[in-house]
Amino acid sequence: MIQTRKNEHRLLSILLGPVISEKATMVAEKNEQVVFEVARDANKLEIKGAVELLFKVEVKSVQVVIQKGKAKKFGRFEGRRNHVKKAYVSLKPGQEINFETEVK
């Protein structure tokens, strides 16, 4: 029982938030996928479990991308933005995640 609570706590901390962008909207309409920003150490099974636990939907597949941070200059100092891991989650037919109704 303690292991399941610990595992559930881990799943709740994996999804950092949805990615709301023009590309994410096009992917959602065309391929019926949802894009999430996820923890850097998360794997596909954990991401699938987290989406199913939080949104009560069935996941068909998960694709993962690591977006490298851009190099930036701040005056005479050089820096780099953090790397971001994104998950493209495909839902089974008939499943849908609506973020407006999930928040209420």
Side-chain angles (χ1 to χ4, degrees), residues 32-50:
E32 298 178 5
Q33 291 180 324
V34 184
V35 185
F36 290 101
E37 185 175 333
V38 296
R40 291 282 312 274
D41 59 342
N43 61 32
K44 289 183 179 185
L45 291 175
E46 290 176 331
I47 295 168
K48 179 180 178 179

Side-chain angles (χ1 to χ4, degrees), residues 13-70:
S13 65
I14 286 178
L15 295 180
L16 303 179
V19 175
I20 308 297
S21 65
E22 195 171 333
K23 180 179 179 183
T25 305
M26 287 188 331
V27 166
E29 292 174 358
K30 185 177 180 184
N31 300 334
E32 298 178 5
Q33 291 180 324
V34 184
V35 185
F36 290 101
E37 185 175 333
V38 296
R40 291 282 312 274
D41 59 342
N43 61 32
K44 289 183 179 185
L45 291 175
E46 290 176 331
I47 295 168
K48 179 180 178 179
V51 171
E52 289 177 346
L53 177 70
L54 285 174
F55 297 104
K56 309 291 190 273
V57 295
E58 294 181 33
V59 175
K60 183 168 68 171
S61 66
V62 177
Q63 290 83 32
V64 179
V65 174
I66 297 178
Q67 180 181 354
K68 303 293 183 185
K70 294 171 77 173

